[in-house]
Amino acid sequence: MTQTGLTLQLQLVEVTDDFILIRLRSNEMRPTGHRETQRPALMAEQFTLSDAKGMTANYVQISSGGGPFAGQIDLAFDRTPPIDLTATLSLSSEHTHLTFQV
């Protein structure tokens, strides 16, 4: 696993029939909204998940917890079109890049 950009930890990758679910943790927080509530900086990122052949999974949802779960970010990607889960995967956004294997 390699990582550059915003600091994050890969905590979980779960593969279902329909989705690839990824849980990250990051302590880099940024103020958002008119109340300037602190939220993980990763929440502002648009992520792409791709395999070594260049196939890209469709981004479906991002969510974040609060309280003791603050800093936890969950991402969901559609498995259609299918990407090669046996190859190294790349999770990328404008400010971070992570490669890993399932």
Side-chain angles (χ1 to χ4, degrees):
M1 182 171 81
T2 62
Q3 189 260 322
T4 60
L6 292 170
T7 303
L8 60 87
Q9 295 173 338
L10 177 65
Q11 292 191 322
L12 174 75
V13 177
E14 181 179 348
V15 179
T16 69
D17 289 341
D18 299 319
F19 300 102
I20 300 166
L21 308 171
I22 300 173
R23 176 164 289 162
L24 306 171
R25 179 167 291 280
S26 177
N27 293 324
E28 291 193 39
M29 306 296 260
R30 302 254 165 81
T32 60
H34 67 281
R35 294 183 185 171
E36 295 195 0
T37 304
Q38 294 289 318
R39 295 192 63 188
L42 293 175
M43 290 297 293
E45 299 293 303
Q46 294 292 318
F47 287 95
T48 302
L49 181 66
S50 58
D51 65 19
K53 298 174 189 171
M55 292 296 293
T56 301
N58 296 318
Y59 174 77
V60 177
Q61 180 178 340
I62 185 170
S63 61
S64 175
F69 297 102
Q72 183 173 294
I73 299 99
D74 293 314
L75 303 166
F77 293 90
D78 195 339
R79 290 205 49 201
T80 307
I83 64 173
D84 184 359
L85 296 174
T86 63
T88 298
L89 301 178
S90 295
L91 181 66
S92 301
S93 70
E94 183 180 355
H95 297 105
T96 193
H97 183 83
L98 173 73
T99 59
F100 62 94
Q101 290 186 310
V102 177

